[in-house]
Amino acid sequence: MKRRKQRRVVAALLLLWGLLETRAAAGGGGRSLPQFSDDVPFRVNWPGSEFSLPTAGVLYKEDHYVIMTTADKEKYKCILPMVANGDEIESYWTYEVCHGKRIRQYHEEKETGQKINIQEYYLGNMLRKSPRLDPEQEEKEKETEDSKEASGNKPIPTKNIEGQMTPYYPVGMGNGTPCSLRQNLPRSSTVMYVCHPEAKHEILSVAEVTTCEYEVVILTPLLCSHPKYRFRASPVNDIFCQSLPGSPLKPHQLEQLEQQQEMMKMPIRRAKEEETNSKEDKFSSIHKPVAVGTQQLLTVGTTHISKLTDDQLIKEFLSGSYCFHGGVGWWKYEFCYGKYVHQYHEDKENGKTTVVVGTWNKEEHLEWAQKNVARAYHLKDDGLQMVKMVSHYYGNGDVCDLTDKPRQVTVKLKCKQSDSPHAVTVYMLEPHSCQYILGVESPVICKILDTADEYGLLSVPS
């Protein structure tokens, strides 16, 4: 496997500022504009002066910023995320990794009429690391590692790659070329294999973490079938640009550009609305998702299904062939009653990435229902009890990286009165890591809640 210097671009900022013919000035003690990998997505925000930096997720520091000046002399202080992309591979050196054999760093020079001169160092050889000064200590550590691996309790190591903690499979290699800076001790390396479904076993980065000790990150699709090493798409990293005194909240030319784009979208939206209205007159018994959404916090969308008869809708929903879709952010959600709950993301380049949040198993739900409230009531004015919500357990989702346990979700189907008799609201919450609550609320559900048995299971009304 060989890879030359990674191509790097100042992606988000240069795209934006290029449109505005801007210039970057040094900020915070002569700080120059940093480099961004074009593999990491960025998003520019304009929060105004009253703003606090996020405390979770990607790290931000007040002094990690650049001052940007537009062609109209508007000035902005842009705080950048501390995204770790690994050490850039030097253009002078070429790297060669042969799994289980060696890691070689070399440079070739060919002068006219002469043979090729090769300068090379071996950063690691074989499958074992260099011997320690204390063989007994090494043997004890090996026994500890073997016992952890045998019991299945060995933790999966992670590394900050492109702004998120990413699991990797390490392979140690030692016995490299002697290092003159360390009393001729042999060079050693840790090869970190990271899952990436579209990679071709390529070297992402090479870093010298301490003198003559290296870390080599390699992207490979071979790990992706293992749930603990599953690929996660790169998160969108926010850049926060605050206007300096005398400048508007957002650059004037950018405001004009956004207004023009909005005007260009209007005819397309009208055409889509007309197409949607015409399709509402037709009913399809094949999986028909319900489009949702405008609010981004708890409620992720309300839609209407007024052209379907109640009997048709209820039968399709309870059979699992009529699925609800929700979500307006990076992740979308799909719920098919009595089948599964999925979380997914789609883009043109990588296609569809799906995470199984939970799958239906009647026996597991019945066991869960004996320990939890599966059917909730409320009292009517006349004192009679009426079912207002049922809860169903969907377990055996994909293994969670944070807990090393399968994901699980409690689906809450709730009666919710509305002026529109066929409105449906869908939302997703995560009160604990990889333990979810999916809420589905609608007047349609009111029509079937009375069929719930003691375990909350529903049936078609007679």
Side-chain angles (χ1 to χ4, degrees):
M1 288 171 280
K2 301 179 181 179
R3 180 165 173 169
R4 293 277 186 177
K5 179 178 179 180
Q6 283 185 298
R7 181 175 64 90
R8 291 178 180 264
V9 294
V10 186
L13 285 177
L14 286 191
L15 174 62
L16 173 64
W17 304 120
L19 289 172
L20 301 179
E21 300 178 7
T22 61
R23 297 174 297 281
R31 184 185 305 278
S32 60
L33 189 67
Q35 291 180 319
F36 293 108
S37 166
D38 52 0
D39 296 325
V40 183
F42 291 88
R43 174 176 53 209
V44 180
N45 294 280
W46 312 89
S49 58
E50 300 296 327
F51 167 70
S52 298
L53 288 173
T55 56
V58 178
L59 178 64
Y60 292 88
K61 291 184 178 179
E62 289 284 356
D63 62 348
H64 190 66
Y65 68 90
V66 292
I67 301 297
M68 305 300 294
T69 305
T70 71
D72 297 327
K73 308 300 182 184
E74 303 158 318
K75 291 190 175 183
Y76 297 86
K77 174 185 175 182
C78 294
I79 302 175
L80 310 175
M82 307 286 289
V83 178
N85 288 308
D87 283 32
E88 192 174 294
I89 299 178
E90 299 177 52
S91 58
Y92 181 83
W93 294 107
T94 299
Y95 292 86
E96 178 184 72
V97 178
C98 297
H99 176 72
K101 293 183 178 180
R102 64 178 179 272
I103 304 171
R104 187 166 69 113
Q105 172 185 285
Y106 65 94
H107 175 71
E108 296 180 349
E109 284 187 358
K110 183 177 182 181
E111 299 180 7
T112 305
Q114 297 183 6
K115 66 178 183 179
I116 298 175
N117 294 321
I118 299 179
Q119 181 185 5
E120 65 180 4
Y121 297 94
Y122 285 88
L123 308 185
N125 280 292
M126 317 276 277
L127 279 173
R128 62 188 182 91
K129 290 190 174 182
S130 303
R132 298 172 180 265
L133 296 177
D134 185 357
E136 292 184 3
Q137 179 65 24
E138 184 178 19
E139 185 64 27
K140 288 181 181 179
E141 291 185 6
K142 185 179 185 304
E143 290 177 0
T144 303
E145 290 294 316
D146 291 344
S147 63
K148 286 183 178 180
E149 192 165 353
S151 62
N153 295 325
K154 186 177 181 180
I156 303 298
T158 59
K159 179 178 176 61
N160 188 346
I161 298 176
E162 297 183 355
Q164 66 179 0
M165 299 309 293
T166 304
Y168 65 88
Y169 183 82
V171 175
M173 290 190 181
N175 303 310
T177 304
C179 176
S180 60
L181 300 176
R182 296 187 62 192
Q183 293 78 43
N184 284 329
L185 284 175
R187 287 171 167 81
S188 63
S189 299
T190 299
V191 182
M192 302 176 174
Y193 290 99
V194 174
C195 157
H196 196 294
E198 297 179 0
K200 297 179 180 179
H201 314 294
E202 57 208 65
I203 301 174
L204 176 68
S205 64
V206 176
E208 188 173 6
V209 290
T210 60
T211 303
C212 295
E213 292 187 3
Y214 306 85
E215 286 183 353
V216 182
V217 179
I218 294 180
L219 304 179
T220 174
L222 300 181
L223 275 178
C224 299
S225 60
H226 195 294
K228 292 187 177 182
Y229 296 94
R230 181 166 290 145
F231 170 77
R232 289 178 291 179
S234 299
V236 178
N237 296 278
D238 287 301
I239 297 172
F240 299 101
C241 291
Q242 296 174 288
S243 59
L244 296 179
S247 300
L249 177 67
K250 187 183 292 188
H252 177 65
Q253 290 191 40
L254 180 60
E255 291 270 20
Q256 289 183 328
L257 179 63
E258 290 177 345
Q259 290 175 4
Q260 292 172 3
Q261 290 176 335
E262 194 65 26
M263 292 177 65
M264 293 173 65
K265 291 179 182 177
M266 291 179 64
I268 300 175
R269 284 178 182 164
R270 291 196 192 101
K272 285 186 176 180
E273 288 176 1
E274 292 175 1
E275 182 182 359
T276 301
N277 291 336
S278 64
K279 285 183 177 180
E280 282 184 351
D281 296 327
K282 301 176 183 179
F283 169 73
S284 172
S285 61
I286 303 174
H287 174 95
K288 180 177 179 182
V290 177
V292 298
T294 55
Q295 295 183 351
Q296 196 169 355
L297 297 177
L298 293 184
T299 302
V300 298
T302 301
T303 189
H304 303 277
I305 44 179
S306 55
K307 298 301 180 181
L308 297 177
T309 67
D310 289 350
D311 290 343
Q312 287 174 323
L313 173 60
I314 290 170
K315 288 179 181 178
E316 294 294 327
F317 172 68
L318 293 178
S319 69
S321 60
Y322 191 112
C323 301
F324 292 120
H325 286 225
V328 294
W330 177 267
W331 290 109
K332 304 294 188 296
Y333 312 108
E334 180 184 35
F335 167 57
C336 298
Y337 180 88
K339 290 187 176 180
Y340 58 77
V341 178
H342 284 178
Q343 174 179 275
Y344 64 94
H345 172 73
E346 291 182 292
D347 59 52
K348 294 180 180 178
E349 293 184 1
N350 299 319
K352 186 175 182 179
T353 301
T354 300
V355 176
V356 179
V357 180
T359 55
W360 175 254
N361 182 293
K362 185 176 180 180
E363 287 70 26
E364 289 185 358
H365 168 74
L366 295 178
E367 182 179 349
W368 175 89
Q370 292 176 356
K371 304 173 184 177
N372 298 272
V373 179
R375 182 175 57 179
Y377 297 89
H378 73 88
L379 288 175
K380 299 175 66 176
D381 294 337
D382 56 7
L384 294 176
Q385 282 190 334
M386 184 176 182
V387 180
K388 69 170 183 178
M389 181 179 68
V390 295
S391 300
H392 293 168
Y393 174 78
Y394 288 67
N396 294 312
D398 286 341
V399 174
C400 175
D401 297 330
L402 299 176
T403 64
D404 285 334
K405 296 179 181 179
R407 288 172 167 82
Q408 61 185 51
V409 58
T410 302
V411 178
K412 295 182 178 294
L413 302 172
K414 186 176 181 181
C415 171
K416 182 180 180 181
Q417 299 298 339
S418 171
D419 294 335
S420 176
H422 293 118
V424 177
T425 301
V426 180
Y427 62 87
M428 174 76 89
L429 303 174
E430 188 177 2
H432 304 288
S433 295
C434 299
Q435 296 183 17
Y436 306 88
I437 295 175
L438 181 76
V440 181
E441 303 178 353
S442 173
V444 174
I445 295 175
C446 302
K447 304 177 186 297
I448 55 176
L449 282 181
D450 284 339
T451 68
D453 62 16
E454 59 181 311
Y455 302 108
L457 300 179
L458 303 172
S459 59
V460 178
S462 56

